[in-house]
């Protein structure tokens, strides 16, 4: 698959490395020369320019991309990039920082496929650590990790099991859980899985199939 990433900061660079490690084609767009040079040194195709500019994204190959991730600190630039992606039929992921009000979030949520809160993921890990139980914090999303959301089907052997009883690979951690048609929240170790639940899992890419087998 082909991905365009706007913004090669902390979030964008890590996302790009993960996608590249999984064999995908990644193009980096950034208006900072130093970041573009760093991305090029790491082997990525790069385009220097404003990621909110459709002409720049056209040069990056947005017309043939499967998805665009807009991960700069500038929400307006991110949103503009995603709207260009929508126009070209791409899946869109928008970064939004935690200090924006809920009504700002709602303003953008219906226009993109996914909204990413970098601070919220870190806070979720910290809260999980303080709750104790069998959970550990994933402190750094390394290139060998992937994050996925799975739905628990009716026939899953995991139904009725507590979170602490799930037989998952050592590298896998469930960081969020939600009942059918409910928002995902941080689960307690004693939370029991039901059919139709959704769980968000961080795992090593090599263990992803094993995680799916255990939950689905």
């Amino acid at each position: 698959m082909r991905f365009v990433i706007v913004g090669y900061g902390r979030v964008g660079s890590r996302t790009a490395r993960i996608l590249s490690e999984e064999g995908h084609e990644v193009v980096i767009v950034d208006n900072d020369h130093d970041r573009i040079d760093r991305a090029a040194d790491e082997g990525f195709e790069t385009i220097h320019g404003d990621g909110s500019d459709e002409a720049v994204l056209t040069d990056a190959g947005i017309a043939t991309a499967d998805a665009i991730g807009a991960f700069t600190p500038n929400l307006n630039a991110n949103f503009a990039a995603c709207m260009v992606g929508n126009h070209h039929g791409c899946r869109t992921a928008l970064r939004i920082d935690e200090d924006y009000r809920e009504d700002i979030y709602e303003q953008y949520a219906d226009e993109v496929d996914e909204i990413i809160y970098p601070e919220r993921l870190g806070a979720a890990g910290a809260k999980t650590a303080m709750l104790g139980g069998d959970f550990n914090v994933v402190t750094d999303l390394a290139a060998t990790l992937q994050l996925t959301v799975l739905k628990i089907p009716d026939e899953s052997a995991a139904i009725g099991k507590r979170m602490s009883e799930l037989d998952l690979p050592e590298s896998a951690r469930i960081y969020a859980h939600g009942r059918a048609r409910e928002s995902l929240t941080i689960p307690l170790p004693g939370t029991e899985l039901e059919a139709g639940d959704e769980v968000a899992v961080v795992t090593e890419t090599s263990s992803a199939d094993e995680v799916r087998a255990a939950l689905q």
Side-chain angles (χ1 to χ4, degrees), residues 41-96:
D41 289 342
E42 293 177 1
F44 292 107
E45 180 182 344
T46 60
I47 298 293
H48 177 260
D50 183 353
S52 64
D53 186 332
E54 184 168 7
V56 172
L57 293 178
T58 298
D59 289 342
I62 192 69
T64 58
D66 294 284
I68 181 171
F71 301 137
T72 79
N74 186 319
L75 176 56
N76 290 328
N78 290 347
F79 185 68
C82 285
M83 292 304 95
V84 175
N86 278 341
H87 176 71
H88 289 277
C90 292
R91 181 171 178 80
T92 53
L94 171 77
R95 171 186 172 175
I96 184 170

Side-chain angles (χ1 to χ4, degrees), residues 112-126:
V112 299
D113 293 303
E114 296 290 344
I115 287 185
I116 308 300
Y117 280 95
E119 300 95 334
R120 187 168 292 182
L121 180 59

